Amino acid sequence: MFSINISKAHCFSCTTAFFFLGLRVAWFCFHIMALKLKLLLSLSATLFLMQTPANGATCNNCFVSSRASYYPNSSQQGTEIGACGFGSFGAMINGGDVSAASDLYRSGVGCGACYQVRCTSSKYCSDKGVTVVITDQGSGDRTDFILSQRAYSQMAQTADAASYLSALGVVDIEYRRVSCSYPNKNITIKIDESSNNPHYLAFVIWYQQGNKDITAVQLCETQNFVCKLLDRNYGAVWTTTSPPSGPLSLRMLLSSDDGDETWLVPVNNIHQDWKAGETYDTGVQIS
């Protein structure tokens, strides 16, 4: 009887020990699972925060909130003395729906770019807004655009609404980059009046199409293919001293916001006896 009682006590002691050991193992496993879950949630949150700005930054079709005003002392069209160097062409391009830009000017790289701009009041503003071409640099009261009077009124639903918006002087807007389109027009080179063959060549590029920037320009001799990289003097004006001789082939580097770059080589050359004030049709369009 005595030995039996000891065996029962011993079994009870073992059972109790295993019970508490099981509790400790269960607690340990629960603690490990909780840590894994915490790490997983933390990693997921980190990835979300990392991806969210990137997605926003690559959204080329998204509208950006800003403000716009208009040239108060100009005609209905744009100015002929804009910082892009377009001259009188800068006032008439796109039917006069043009604009000066502040940050979007981008040291001249933004010249010729097109933007859809629409004001945000559902009572006075149309959903479509207006498409403008950047031809000048300027800033106002926390604005990204200073529109021509024609372009500013184009944002309104009616003539009365346009008068109301004009009286405000500045309005809240949304804008986005869009592709420039000039039907039946090729990219054209306008030789600046300051040019002097063969010592100095300056020109501006008209009818820049598509939604990419012209970030570099080369002039190449068509006979021996020697090329020279031009300088951006200001705005959309490209210059070089001692330009290559003979008929000249033009090469333009088109760059997009996503880093894509393409060299465009026009069909037509610039004549070897080019003269100041002349224009040359490159024979190419950009879709």
Side-chain angles (χ1 to χ4, degrees):
M1 294 296 293
F2 181 76
S3 61
I4 295 176
N5 289 336
I6 291 176
S7 178
K8 288 181 177 180
H10 178 71
C11 290
F12 176 78
S13 176
C14 292
T15 302
T16 303
F18 278 116
F19 174 77
F20 284 107
L21 179 61
L23 286 178
R24 293 186 65 181
V25 171
W27 178 86
F28 179 79
C29 293
F30 175 81
H31 185 66
I32 294 298
M33 292 178 64
L35 285 176
K36 288 183 177 180
L37 180 61
K38 184 177 180 180
L39 288 173
L40 181 61
L41 292 175
S42 177
L43 180 60
S44 299
T46 301
L47 290 174
F48 175 79
L49 292 174
M50 290 175 62
Q51 292 175 0
T52 300
N55 290 337
T58 58
C59 183
N60 295 326
N61 202 39
C62 294
F63 280 97
V64 179
S65 298
S66 184
R67 286 156 57 89
S69 59
Y70 62 92
Y71 287 103
N73 300 320
S74 70
S75 64
Q76 286 293 312
Q77 295 179 322
T79 177
E80 295 185 0
I81 54 174
C84 288
F86 289 130
S88 59
F89 176 80
M92 57 171 282
I93 187 175
N94 197 38
D97 289 337
V98 297
S99 178
S102 53
D103 292 342
L104 295 174
Y105 179 77
R106 293 178 290 147
S107 300
V109 176
C111 290
C114 293
Y115 291 89
Q116 180 185 1
V117 182
R118 63 187 187 188
C119 51
T120 57
S121 171
S122 59
K123 183 177 181 180
Y124 299 101
C125 305
S126 68
D127 293 333
K128 183 179 179 180
V130 61
T131 297
V132 296
V133 182
I134 301 302
T135 60
D136 195 9
Q137 180 185 25
S139 60
D141 181 14
R142 295 177 288 117
T143 62
D144 274 309
F145 296 89
I146 301 179
L147 306 171
S148 65
Q149 291 188 25
R150 170 187 164 85
Y152 190 87
S153 63
Q154 292 278 76
M155 296 190 296
Q157 296 180 16
T158 64
D160 290 339
S163 298
Y164 174 79
L165 295 179
S166 296
L168 293 178
V170 59
V171 291
D172 293 328
I173 61 159
E174 297 175 332
Y175 72 88
R176 63 180 176 183
R177 179 95 181 250
V178 294
S179 182
C180 297
S181 178
Y182 304 103
N184 302 318
K185 295 291 185 180
N186 296 326
I187 294 178
T188 301
I189 303 301
K190 169 65 165 51
I191 307 296
D192 191 78
E193 298 291 348
S194 64
S195 299
N196 181 17
N197 193 354
H199 307 293
Y200 177 74
L201 174 61
F203 61 81
V204 64
I205 299 174
W206 288 358
Y207 301 117
Q208 178 181 331
Q209 300 151 358
N211 59 358
K212 293 184 177 182
D213 300 318
I214 299 177
T215 55
V217 175
Q218 286 184 337
L219 275 180
C220 303
E221 295 182 5
T222 57
Q223 296 179 353
N224 56 17
F225 302 104
V226 174
C227 296
K228 185 172 185 179
L229 188 65
L230 305 190
D231 298 317
R232 185 189 295 274
N233 190 15
Y234 71 95
V237 180
W238 298 89
T239 64
T240 181
T241 56
S242 301
S245 59
L248 301 176
S249 174
L250 189 70
R251 301 180 70 217
M252 295 173 286
L253 182 62
L254 307 179
S255 304
S256 62
D257 292 337
D258 60 8
D260 180 53
E261 293 185 333
T262 304
W263 282 100
L264 176 68
V265 181
V267 176
N268 299 331
N269 297 326
I270 298 176
H271 299 164
Q272 63 180 1
D273 58 346
W274 54 264
K275 296 178 177 62
E278 292 184 339
T279 58
Y280 295 95
D281 187 331
T282 64
V284 295
Q285 295 183 356
I286 305 173
S287 59

